[in-house]
């Protein structure tokens, strides 16, 4: 620390802070979907990371398809790839809920084991379709390079794009949950499932579309993930633990808690990684979360839920 000037320290902390914001964006997109699924349905979806990988591989497929057959469309394909990733992951989530999850409600251990098995099946499917090596899409030129507010600070353009995408998705989720009739049914089902069914809400349909929405948001997270790292069959497992930490620390079914939790965890890890190794940074972050949860086990922003 003594070898750096004050301006260099400011630049370093700014760069590390923005690196934390990039991690925050991916964690938040992942955690939004998981918070909706876990908070609404009580389902511990161990395959959530694989739905993120579905979005990433969909983006890679769209990139390869566009580069081969429609090269003039390369500057524009990424936006369409995000939309396609959302729908592909969402449809697979809808099918998973219909075929598997709906038979295991109120059996949390069984859903955990079933979704873990589903994640292994999906990982092997990725190896069969795309191979075991990591892949990366060809990004459009407008996602490459960086913005320099000063001579010593470089902010990657892809990180700025991911942050903007995260803001748009978060606002969209907020509108769906708190300003739409569907969101009203979701919140009613979350607060009192039996009474919601008694007044005519189709809680099974709400569950199915909720699960599909959560998986679709994970697909968007996968598309965003391709801008900052390569994708492999086990990519999803690298983020699932952090995603669960975000949801539990923020409080299940709490949108504000998820945002605050994702930002806190991402910034803590990013800043600590400058001083110590990445693995130790994660250990210290996890240790701090455990201490906080010992005194506040319901999370930062708890929601009252009656089943």
């Amino acid at each position: 620390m003594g070898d750096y000037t004050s301006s260099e320290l400011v630049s370093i902390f700014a760069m590390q802070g923005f690196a934390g914001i990039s991690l925050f964006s991916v964690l938040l997109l992942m955690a939004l979907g998981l918070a909706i699924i876990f908070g609404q349905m009580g389902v511990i979806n161990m395959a959530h990371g694989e739905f993120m990988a579905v979005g990433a591989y969909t983006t890679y497929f769209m990139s390869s398809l566009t580069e081969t057959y429609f090269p003039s469309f390369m500057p524009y394909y990424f936006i369409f790839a995000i939309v396609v990733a959302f729908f592909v992951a969402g449809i697979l989530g809808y099918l998973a809920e219909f075929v598997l999850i709906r038979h295991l409600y109120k059996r949390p251990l069984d859903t955990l084991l079933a979704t873990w098995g589903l994640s292994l099946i999906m990982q092997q499917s990725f190896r069969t379709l795309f191979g075991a090596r990591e892949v990366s899409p060809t990004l459009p030129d407008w996602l490459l390079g960086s913005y320099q507010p000063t001579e010593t600070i470089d902010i990657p353009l892809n990180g700025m794009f991911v942050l903007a995408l995260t803001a748009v998705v978060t606002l969209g989720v907020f509108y769906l949950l708190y300003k739409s009739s569907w969101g009203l049914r979701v919140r009613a089902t979350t607060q009192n499932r039996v009474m919601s069914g008694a007044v005519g809400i189709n809680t099974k349909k709400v569950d199915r579309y909720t699960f599909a929405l959560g998986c679709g948001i994970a697909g968007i997270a996968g598309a965003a993930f391709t801008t900052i790292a390569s994708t492999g069959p086990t990519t999803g497992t690298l983020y699932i633990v952090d995603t669960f930490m975000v949801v539990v620390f923020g409080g299940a079914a709490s949108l504000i808690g998820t945002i605050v939790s994702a930002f806190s965890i991402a910034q803590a890890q990013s800043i600590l990684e400058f001083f110590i190794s990445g693995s130790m940074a994660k250990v210290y972050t996890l240790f701090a979360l455990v201490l906080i949860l010992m005194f506040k086990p319901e999370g930062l922003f708890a929601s009252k839920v009656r089943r």
Side-chain angles (χ1 to χ4, degrees), residues 26 34 46 72 86 103 182 191 206 220 232 261:
V26 175
L34 192 62
M46 295 299 294
S72 61
F86 171 78
H103 304 290
W182 178 81
Q191 293 178 9
V206 169
I220 296 177
S261 175

Side-chain angles (χ1 to χ4, degrees), residues 83-276:
V83 177
V84 174
F86 171 78
F87 281 104
V88 170
I91 290 171
L92 288 178
Y94 184 94
L95 293 175
E97 198 282 338
F98 181 77
V99 174
L100 182 66
I101 304 299
R102 69 189 180 103
H103 304 290
L104 301 174
Y105 287 132
K106 297 184 180 179
R107 295 157 60 184
L109 181 59
D110 290 344
T111 57
L112 187 151
L113 293 175
T115 54
W116 179 64
L118 177 62
S119 72
L120 296 180
I121 293 172
M122 294 176 72
Q123 288 178 27
Q124 191 57 47
S125 299
F126 298 149
R127 290 189 181 94
T128 302
L129 293 173
F130 300 99
R133 299 179 64 180
E134 293 188 347
V135 296
S136 297
T138 302
L139 297 177
D141 292 339
W142 53 269
L143 277 177
L144 304 177
S146 62
Y147 166 69
Q148 286 188 298
T150 69
E151 293 183 356
T152 56
I153 298 178
D154 284 316
I155 300 177
L157 294 179
N158 56 359
M160 296 174 65
F161 173 79
V162 172
L163 180 61
L165 175 64
T166 302
V168 171
V169 173
T170 303
L171 290 174
V173 170
F174 179 84
Y175 177 82
L176 278 176
L177 288 180
Y178 297 101
K179 301 295 182 179
S180 68
S181 58
W182 178 81
L184 182 62
R185 290 192 291 271
V186 170
R187 287 183 286 118
T189 304
T190 301
Q191 293 178 9
N192 196 319
R193 180 176 296 273
V194 175
M195 185 59 69
S196 298
V199 298
I201 296 176
N202 187 339
T203 56
K204 292 183 178 179
K205 186 177 180 180
V206 169
D207 287 338
R208 193 158 301 148
Y209 281 102
T210 299
F211 195 86
L213 175 65
C215 293
I217 295 173
I220 296 177
F225 176 80
T226 61
T227 67
I228 58 177
S230 55
T231 305
T234 58
T235 292
T237 60
L238 302 177
Y239 283 85
I240 190 64
V241 174
D242 287 344
T243 305
F244 271 109
M245 281 199 307
V246 169
V247 173
V248 172
F249 184 54
S254 172
L255 180 60
I256 301 298
T258 301
I259 296 172
V260 174
S261 175
F263 184 81
S264 302
I265 292 174
Q267 288 296 329
Q269 286 190 20
S270 180
I271 297 298
L272 286 174
E273 282 176 3
F274 175 71
F275 301 102
I276 55 180

